[in-house]
C-alpha cells in the first residue's frame, strides 16, 4: 500500500559492519509526519548510519524501519520515496546546476522539456535562477548547498535526509542556511531528518532532538525539553549550557533532597516526580549556567536562593550579551556562570576574586 | 628595472627546472625530427647518397602512390579495431577494479596482474600466440576435437585477426591505466547520490562514470592510436607478411636506400598523428582534468 505520509518508526534497529561491534545498537524511535528531526552526537555515535539506513544506502543488521506504515527494509531509495542530501553535497561536477537538479527526473525517464521545466521551477524556489547554467565548481558553498537541497527535493520525497548539511559552510552562512532549511521544510511540508554535531543547529531547527551516544539514543524529545531538562550527565554535558555537579545525598526531606558539598549547607535539589533517592546515593545534578548568579561574599543572596558555593574566578570571557565566568566551584567539573552583560559590568569581577555562586532552589535538576 | 619583472635568480631557477627534459628532448627528439624533415626535401641518387637541396619530389611520389592510401586505410583499420577493443576491455577492467573490488590491496594486486604480460619481451609475447592460434594450435585442436570444424582455421594466425589480437593484448594496459586513474578519482558519494536519485547501474555508467572518465579515455586513446599507427613489427610478424602498415612501407624504403621518400612518409605520418591527437585533445581539456 502506497502512502504519502512521511512518519517514520525505527523498531529495534541495529547495525554492525563487522559482526562484532554495533554502530547502531537497538534504536527505537517514532518521528511524526512533517517533523523536523535532528540527530545529534559526537562523531562515530551512529547518527549517520541511522540516516543511511533510513535512506536505503545501508541495510540494518536487525530491526525494522517503517515509513508511512510500510516496512522499507530492503527497498531501494526510490521505492522508499526518500531523498538524501549528502555531506559535502556530492553534486555531479560535470553537470550544470540545472542538469544536476533534473538528474533524478532524467533517470526516471521524464521528457527533456518536462524535466527542465520542473528543474527551473525548483531553481527559482532556491533562488539560483541566474546560476542555472553554471557548473558546481563555479558556485559558492551556500549556493552548492541550495543546489543539493533542490536536487534532493525535486522528486517530491516524503522524507528528506540531510547528512551534516551545514558543516561545510562558514559560521555566518550556516546561520543563514539554517533558516533556509527550515523555510524549505515548511514549504515542502515533508519530514526532514538532519544529522549534525552542532548543538545550536539542532535546538534552533528541530521539533524533535535525538541525542545519541555509542549507537544508542540517550534522549529524544522537543528541543526545549532536551536542552532544559536533560535526562543524564551525558546529555547535559553534550547539549551544553549546564553545570553538572555530583555528590552524595545527605538527607531527603519530602519533595527535595540535599546534596553534600563543600558548602556548609549542601545543595538543595527538588526531587523529580516518581523518582526516589535515599541517603548515601551518589547523584548528579545540573544547574543551568544562566541560572547561576554571582554575589560578592558577605552580601545578601538574591531572593529564593538558598545554596551558595564559594568560588574563585578562573577566567572571564566577554561574549557580547553575556559574560562567561569560569569558576573553581566544584573540584573536578567545569563550573560556569553566564552573567548578563549589564549585571556583570555594574560590578565587574576580576580573575582571582572570590565570589558566591548561587541559584534559586528550584532550578537545580537531578540527573539520572 | 620594474618591480613586476621576474628577478633573474627566479628565471635561472626556472631554466634549471626544465634543463634535464630539454637536454633529453633536444638531442633525442627534436634533432632527429629535424634531420628527417631535412632529408625529406633532399634529392637522392638512388643508391643511398643524398644531395642537399630543396625538392618536393619525394612528397609528390608518396602522395601520388596508390599504395600510400591503401596503407593508410589498412593502418586506420587496425587502429580503429584495436582502439574499440582496448577501450571496451580497458574500461570494464578499470570499472571493475575501481567500483567492485572493495579491498584496496586486492585491487592493487589485480592491477599488477594486468601488467604481467609486460614482464617478458614483445617478441616472446607475440611468439606465444603461435601455440594458441596456429594451425596445430590449441584452439584449432580443440575445435577439431569437438568436431566443430573439419579443417583447421587458417584465419587465426598470420592474418589481420591475429594482428588485432596481438595489438589488443599489448595495448589494453595503456587504456586501463589512465581510465583507472580518472575513475579512481570519482567520489563514491556521487555514485550513491545517483542511486539515491533512482539511477540504474546503466544510468550511473552512462551519466556519471563515462563522462567523468573522459580524460582517461582520451589519454588511453592517444597512447593506443599513436602506438598502433607508428608500429610495423606486430603487423609484420602477426600477419606473416601478408599485411603492411604505413611504417612498414617506409621501413622497406629504408631497406632499399630510398631515404628521402622514407623521410617524406615519416613526416606525413607525424602530421597525421599530430592532427589526430589535437582532435582528441580538443574534446577533453586534459591539462585541466589532470590538475583537478
Amino acid at each position: 500500500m502506497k502512502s504519502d505520509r512521511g512518519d517514520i518508526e525505527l523498531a529495534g534497529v541495529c547495525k554492525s559492519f563487522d559482526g562484532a561491534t554495533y554502530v547502531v545498537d537497538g534504536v527505537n524511535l517514532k518521528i511524526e509526519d512533517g517533523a523536523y528531526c535532528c540527530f545529534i552526537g559526537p562523531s562515530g555515535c551512529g547518527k549517520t548510519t541511522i540516516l543511511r539506513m533510513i535512506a536505503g544506502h545501508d541495510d540494518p543488521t536487525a530491526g525494522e524501519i517503517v515509513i508511512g506504515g510500510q516496512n522499507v527494509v530492503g527497498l531501494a531509495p526510490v521505492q522508499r520515496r526518500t531523498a538524501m542530501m549528502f555531506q559535502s553535497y556530492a553534486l555531479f561536477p560535470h553537470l550544470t546546476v540545472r542538469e544536476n537538479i533534473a538528474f533524478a527526473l532524467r533517470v526516471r525517464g521524464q521528457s527533456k522539456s518536462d524535466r527542465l521545466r520542473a528543474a527551473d521551477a525548483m531553481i527559482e524556489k532556491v533562488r539560483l535562477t541566474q546560476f542555472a547554467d553554471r557548473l558546481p565548481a563555479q558556485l559558492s558553498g551556500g549556493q552548492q548547498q541550495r543546489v543539493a537541497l533542490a536536487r534532493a527535493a525535486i522528486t517530491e520525497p516524503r522524507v528528506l535526509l540531510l547528512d551534516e548539511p551545514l558543516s561545510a559552510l562558514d559560521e555566518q552562512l550556516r546561520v543563514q542556511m539554517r533558516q533556509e532549511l527550515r523555510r524549505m521544510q515548511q514549504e515542502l511540508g515533508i519530514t526532514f531528518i538532519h544529522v549534525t554535531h552542532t548543538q545550536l543547529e539542532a535546538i534552533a531547527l528541530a521539533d524533535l532532538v535525538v541525542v545519541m551516544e555509542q549507537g544508542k539514543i540517550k534522549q529524544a524529545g522537543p528541543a526545549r525539553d532536551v536542552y532544559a531538562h536533560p535526562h543524564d550527565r551525558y546529555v547535559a554535558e553534550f547539549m551544553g549550557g549546564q553545570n553538572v555537579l555530583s555528590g552524595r545525598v545527605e538527607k531527603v526531606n519530602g519533595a527535595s533532597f540535599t546534596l553534600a558539598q563543600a558548602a556548609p549547607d549542601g545543595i538543595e535539589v527538588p526531587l523529580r516526580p516518581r523518582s526516589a533517592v535515599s541517603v548515601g546515593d551518589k547523584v548528579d545534578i545540573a544547574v543551568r549556567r544562566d541560572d547561576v548568579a554571582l554575589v560578592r561574599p558577605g552580601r545578601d543572596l538574591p531572593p529564593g536562593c538558598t545554596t551558595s558555593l564559594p568560588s574563585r574566578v578562573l577566567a572571564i570571557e566577554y561574549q557580547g550579551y553575556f559574560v562567561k565566568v569560569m569558576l573553581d566551584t566544584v573540584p573536578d567539573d567545569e563550573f560556569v556562570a553566564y552573567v548578563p552583560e549589564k549585571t556583570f559590568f555594574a560590578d565587574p569581577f576580576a580573575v582571582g576574586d572570590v565570589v558566591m555562586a548561587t541559584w534559586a532552589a528550584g532550578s537545580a535538576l537531578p540527573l539520572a | 628595472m620594474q618591480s613586476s619583472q621576474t628577478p633573474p635568480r627566479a628565471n635561472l631557477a626556472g631554466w634549471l627546472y626544465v634543463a634535464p627534459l630539454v637536454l633529453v628532448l633536444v638531442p633525442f627528439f627534436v634533432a632527429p625530427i629535424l634531420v628527417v624533415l631535412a632529408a625529406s626535401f633532399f634529392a637522392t641518387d638512388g643508391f643511398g647518397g643524398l644531395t642537399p637541396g630543396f625538392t618536393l619530389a619525394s612528397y609528390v611520389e608518396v602522395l601520388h602512390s596508390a599504395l600510400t592510401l591503401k596503407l593508410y586505410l589498412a593502418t586506420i583499420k587496425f587502429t580503429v579495431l584495436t582502439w574499440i577493443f582496448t577501450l571496451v576491455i580497458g574500461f570494464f577492467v578499470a570499472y571493475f577494479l575501481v567500483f567492485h573490488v572493495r579491498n584496496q590491496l586486492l585491487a592493487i594486486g589485480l592491477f599488477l596482474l594486468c601488467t604481467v604480460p609486460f614482464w617478458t619481451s614483445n617478441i616472446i609475447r607475440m611468439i606465444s600466440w603461435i601455440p594458441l592460434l596456429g594451425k596445430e594450435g590449441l584452439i584449432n585442436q580443440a575445435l577439431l576435437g569437438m568436431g566443430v570444424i573439419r579443417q583447421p582455421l587458417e584465419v587465426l594466425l598470420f592474418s589481420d585477426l591475429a594482428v588485432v589480437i596481438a595489438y589488443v593484448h599489448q595495448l589494453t594496459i595503456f587504456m586501463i591505466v589512465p581510465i583507472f586513474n580518472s575513475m579512481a578519482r570519482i567520489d563514491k558519494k556521487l555514485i550513491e547520490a545517483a542511486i539515491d536519485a533512482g539511477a540504474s547501474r546503466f544510468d550511473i555508467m552512462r551519466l556519471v562514470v563515462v563522462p567523468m572518465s573522459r580524460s582517461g579515455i582520451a589519454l588511453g586513446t592517444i597512447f593506443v592510436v599513436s602506438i598502433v599507427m607508428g608500429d610495423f613489427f606486430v603487423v609484420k610478424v602477426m600477419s606473416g607478411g601478408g599485411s603492411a602498415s604505413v611504417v612498414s612501407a617506409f621501413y622497406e624504403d629504408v631497406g632499399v636506400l630510398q631515404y628521402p621518400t622514407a623521410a617524406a612518409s615519416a613526416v606525413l605520418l607525424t602530421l597525421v598523428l599530430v592532427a589526430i591527437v589535437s582532435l582528441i585533445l580538443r574534446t577533453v581539456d586534459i591539462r585541466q582534468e589532470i590538475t583537478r
Side-chain angles (χ1 to χ4, degrees), chain B residues 197-240:
Chain B
S200 63
R201 245 165 212 250
F202 178 68
D203 284 332
I204 293 171
M205 192 169 296
R206 187 170 60 103
L207 301 174
V208 181
V209 177
V210 171
M212 292 193 69
S213 310
R214 265 178 33 181
S215 64
I217 293 172
L219 274 177
T221 303
I222 290 173
F223 288 145
V224 168
V225 167
S226 53
I227 292 172
V228 174
M229 294 210 51
D231 175 78
F232 75 97
F233 193 67
V234 173
V235 175
K236 198 175 144 111
V237 173
M238 294 307 285
S239 73

Side-chain angles (χ1 to χ4, degrees), chain A residues 237-362:
Chain A
E237 282 177 347
F238 191 79
M239 294 307 292
Q242 305 271 2
N243 292 307
V244 182
L245 299 82
S246 51
R248 294 205 180 274
V249 176
E250 206 170 48
K251 63 181 185 238
V252 181
N253 27 3
S256 66
F257 63 90
T258 307
L259 201 65
Q261 274 293 326
D265 307 325
I267 303 169
E268 198 187 337
V269 184
L271 264 172
R272 274 191 196 223
R274 278 172 314 182
S275 68
V277 292
S278 40
V279 173
D281 286 357
K282 194 168 184 289
V283 176
D284 289 333
I285 64 158
V287 181
R288 283 176 66 143
R289 292 174 172 182
D290 50 353
D291 278 345
V292 177
L294 302 179
V295 183
R296 290 198 187 273
R299 302 258 177 95
D300 285 343
L301 296 183
C305 299
T306 50
T307 309
S308 71
L309 303 175
S311 337
R312 191 178 296 277
V313 176
L314 295 176
I316 295 167
E317 264 179 19
Y318 181 54
Q319 303 272 337
Y321 62 94
F322 68 90
V323 178
K324 184 176 177 187
V325 182
M326 283 152 267
L327 304 161
D328 69 347
T329 313
V330 277
D332 301 323
D333 290 306
E334 201 179 24
F335 195 96
V336 176
Y338 291 160
V339 185
E341 185 200 25
K342 292 199 175 70
T343 319
F344 182 86
F345 287 105
D347 178 17
F349 304 111
V351 172
D353 284 3
V354 173
V355 296
M356 304 302 285
T358 179
W359 57 85

Side-chain angles (χ1 to χ4, degrees), chain A residues 97-242:
Chain A
V97 167
R98 186 182 282 118
E99 289 166 338
N100 258 291
I101 293 174
F103 185 87
L105 303 179
R106 185 171 177 189
V107 298
R108 281 167 167 76
Q110 252 190 38
S111 78
K112 190 162 188 174
S113 59
D114 280 359
R115 68 177 188 247
L116 290 185
R117 200 173 321 119
D120 280 337
M122 186 54 84
I123 288 170
E124 202 165 316
K125 215 180 237 177
V126 293
R127 293 185 293 233
L128 285 170
T129 309
Q130 69 208 89
F131 304 104
D133 294 312
R134 293 218 191 156
L135 292 175
Q138 298 164 319
L139 300 178
S140 72
Q143 288 161 350
Q144 288 183 14
Q145 202 245 17
R146 292 206 293 242
V147 177
L149 187 62
R151 185 180 65 175
I154 196 148
T155 56
E156 296 175 358
R158 43 185 186 174
V159 179
L160 197 87
L161 303 149
L162 306 105
D163 188 5
E164 308 224 358
L166 304 172
S167 61
L169 305 176
D170 59 45
E171 188 59 38
Q172 260 190 352
L173 207 52
R174 207 177 301 171
V175 174
Q176 199 184 324
M177 295 314 292
R178 201 160 80 188
Q179 286 164 8
E180 203 143 327
L181 281 181
R182 185 74 212 198
R183 180 181 66 83
M184 278 295 278
Q185 192 255 345
Q186 274 156 356
E187 214 165 288
L188 298 169
I190 58 172
T191 312
F192 269 40
I193 301 182
H194 175 140
V195 159
T196 178
H197 55 253
T198 316
Q199 295 83 329
L200 275 176
E201 207 170 291
I203 58 177
L205 281 170
D207 303 315
L208 176 66
V209 174
V210 181
V211 185
M212 293 199 57
E213 188 203 15
Q214 294 183 353
K216 290 198 166 72
I217 292 181
K218 281 293 187 179
Q219 188 171 356
R224 244 195 113 191
D225 268 14
V226 175
Y227 183 79
H229 303 284
H231 276 329
D232 59 12
R233 188 183 191 97
Y234 176 81
V235 177
E237 282 177 347
F238 191 79
M239 294 307 292
Q242 305 271 2

Side-chain angles (χ1 to χ4, degrees), chain A residues 52 55 57 77-78 82-84 86-88 90-94 103-104 106-108 151, chain B residues 187 189-200 203-204 206-209 211-212 292:
Chain A
R52 291 176 52 82
H57 292 299
V78 187
T82 57
M84 183 146 168
F86 290 82
Q87 192 178 10
S88 69
L91 298 175
F92 302 116
H94 60 294
F103 185 87
R106 185 171 177 189
V107 298
R108 281 167 167 76
R151 185 180 65 175
Chain B
D187 187 352
K189 283 234 171 84
L190 293 182
I191 309 296
E192 246 170 24
I195 293 172
D196 204 75
S200 63
D203 284 332
I204 293 171
R206 187 170 60 103
L207 301 174
V208 181
V209 177
M212 292 193 69
R292 178 162 51 103

Side-chain angles (χ1 to χ4, degrees), chain B residues 8-26:
Chain B
R9 191 178 284 266
N11 232 332
L12 180 71
W15 279 109
L16 281 176
Y17 278 126
V18 295
L21 195 62
V22 169
L23 286 178
V24 172
L25 284 183
V26 169

Side-chain angles (χ1 to χ4, degrees), chain B residues 12 37 66 100 219 268:
Chain B
L12 180 71
L37 189 65
H100 287 274
L219 274 177
L268 192 64

